[in-house]
Amino acid sequence: MAQLLSINLGAAQHIPGYAPLTGIIKTPVATADIERLGLAGDAICDRKHHGGSDQAIYVYFADDYLWWADEFGQSIVPGTFGENLTIGGVEGREIAIGDRFAMGPALLEVTYHRTPCMTFAARMGDPGWVRRFHRANRPGAYCRVLTPGAVEAGMDVGYQPFAGERVTVSELMALDGAREIDPAFMRRALATPIREKTRFKFETRLASLF
């Protein structure tokens, strides 16, 4: 059984030396309410690139943190990567679009992967972090909220793999910045409940081929 290891909330604040306000610096809390557009009380400062119904909750995985701990040579506390929920007991890189996580009354559905940005690099204090995170291909997963509800750190998480086409978050991340994408891959992705922004992009690209 997977487990909700940490719930993480961020307040709007400045990273030293970085001008924009951000909610990426998270603090673990014991309980929180998952609402349709995210965790209650969590700051989302850049709504152009974060938040919304298709990116309401960001999840990172304990096995990926263990991988990074080996890279850094030290342990990393949950919430360091700005995720709302830290989940253990599943393999992060194999999470696919349409997979679901049930915790208490709440139900989440994976929609996309996280794309690293300069705010993330500033949070990590590493100007090369965007490239390093992308190269590692351990992106975590954005989720939409199918059913809101209160969650508590330590509770069991029911993992429900998507029964249709499996398009993993790591497959999608590997295509970030690609000018050409295999039409067969785009058709596979369109058979999943992928986020609407990417659905529109893939449908538009496929339509241009004919």
Side-chain angles (χ1 to χ4, degrees):
M1 175 69 72
Q3 187 177 33
L4 178 56
L5 300 179
S6 185
I7 304 166
N8 314 297
L9 294 181
Q13 59 186 291
H14 291 287
I15 298 170
Y18 187 71
L21 276 172
T22 175
I24 197 171
I25 300 175
K26 307 291 190 192
T27 300
V29 297
T31 62
D33 290 328
I34 294 179
E35 301 177 341
R36 289 289 182 184
L37 295 179
L39 279 186
D42 187 56
I44 302 174
C45 300
D46 178 7
R47 292 190 177 273
K48 180 179 179 181
H49 299 104
H50 302 284
S53 59
D54 279 350
Q55 297 182 174
I57 299 290
Y58 176 48
V59 177
Y60 207 69
F61 301 98
D63 73 312
D64 290 328
Y65 266 136
L66 287 173
W67 186 89
W68 282 108
D70 286 341
E71 283 284 295
F72 292 151
Q74 63 184 52
S75 61
I76 309 172
V77 298
T80 297
F81 287 0
E83 76 275 12
N84 302 116
L85 306 177
T86 315
I87 291 178
V90 292
E91 188 173 349
R93 295 186 73 221
E94 296 304 315
I95 295 300
I97 306 303
D99 288 357
R100 294 181 176 185
F101 299 106
M103 51 199 85
L107 182 63
L108 309 180
E109 181 176 70
V110 175
T111 60
Y112 206 57
H113 70 281
R114 191 243 195 95
T115 298
C117 61
M118 294 311 298
T119 300
F120 194 13
R123 167 70 176 97
M124 299 304 293
D126 179 1
W129 180 253
V130 169
R131 180 172 293 183
R132 185 177 182 184
F133 188 78
H134 188 272
R135 188 168 57 243
N137 198 5
R138 294 174 179 272
Y142 277 121
C143 299
R144 62 171 60 95
V145 178
L146 298 180
T147 307
V151 292
E152 181 178 346
M155 70 191 320
D156 289 340
V157 175
Y159 170 54
Q160 306 167 13
F162 184 57
E165 286 282 354
R166 291 199 62 77
V167 176
T168 67
V169 290
S170 58
E171 283 183 283
L172 283 163
M173 186 185 209
L175 293 174
D176 277 356
R179 293 191 177 187
E180 301 293 332
I181 300 176
D182 183 356
F185 177 84
M186 290 190 285
R187 293 188 186 97
R188 282 178 54 216
L190 289 172
T192 75
I194 199 166
R195 68 173 186 172
E196 287 304 313
K197 180 179 179 180
T198 303
R199 178 174 298 280
F200 177 78
K201 180 176 76 172
F202 285 178
E203 287 176 342
T204 301
R205 286 195 178 195
L206 287 171
S208 71
L209 297 178
F210 301 100

